[in-house]
Amino acid sequence: QVQLVESGGGLVQAGGSLRLSCEASGRAFSTYHMGWFRQAPGQRRDLVAAILRDASTNYADSVKGRFTISRDNAKNTVYLLMNSLKPEDTAVYYCAASTSSNFSWAFSWGQGTQVTVSS
């Protein structure tokens, strides 16, 4: 069972930056596709950014040019650097691990970390 633990959320003013981290347990991290999802109140959970095991990345249109996903396989950690934050980025952010490159399913989820962007 892979456990994922997120950190780095918080309260930030619009235009500010945050970096989220997600550390995975186990020794197979480099073989997983990793993604960051977010869920605002009353909304569905949507994929924000993904980094595949070959290090290729993709982003939701709403965050392209502002968010950067990266991974450090030696530390079993995936990061999400969020710049130029907007109030509409406010949500609980979850990391997920999958063997599906399109994240049609995930076999492990983190507990979530709250990001609040004030206007």
Side-chain angles (χ1 to χ4, degrees), residues 31-35 37 47 50-53 58 96-108:
T31 69
Y32 307 149
H33 305 310
M34 298 298 298
F37 289 72
L47 181 64
I51 184 164
L52 305 189
R53 55 192 177 199
N58 58 74
S98 178
T99 54
S100 166
S101 60
N102 64 4
F103 278 86
S104 58
W105 65 281
F107 63 82
S108 184

Side-chain angles (χ1 to χ4, degrees), residues 27-80:
R27 295 185 288 181
F29 177 77
S30 64
T31 69
Y32 307 149
H33 305 310
M34 298 298 298
W36 285 97
F37 289 72
R38 68 185 180 188
Q39 187 170 23
Q43 304 292 319
R44 68 181 186 185
R45 189 175 298 187
D46 288 327
L47 181 64
V48 173
I51 184 164
L52 305 189
R53 55 192 177 199
D54 66 359
S56 60
T57 59
N58 58 74
Y59 298 90
D61 288 343
S62 59
V63 306
K64 279 181 182 176
R66 300 189 297 121
F67 290 12
T68 302
I69 189 170
S70 60
R71 66 191 298 163
D72 185 338
N73 289 337
K75 295 183 178 179
N76 276 16
T77 302
V78 61
Y79 304 97
L80 185 67

Side-chain angles (χ1 to χ4, degrees), residues 1-7 21-24 34-37 39 45 78 92-97 106-113:
Q1 180 76 9
V2 175
Q3 293 187 331
L4 303 175
V5 179
E6 299 113 335
S7 60
S21 300
C22 172
E23 184 173 357
M34 298 298 298
W36 285 97
F37 289 72
Q39 187 170 23
R45 189 175 298 187
V78 61
V92 179
Y93 284 70
Y94 300 89
C95 68
F107 63 82
S108 184
W109 292 89
Q111 81 284 0
T113 186

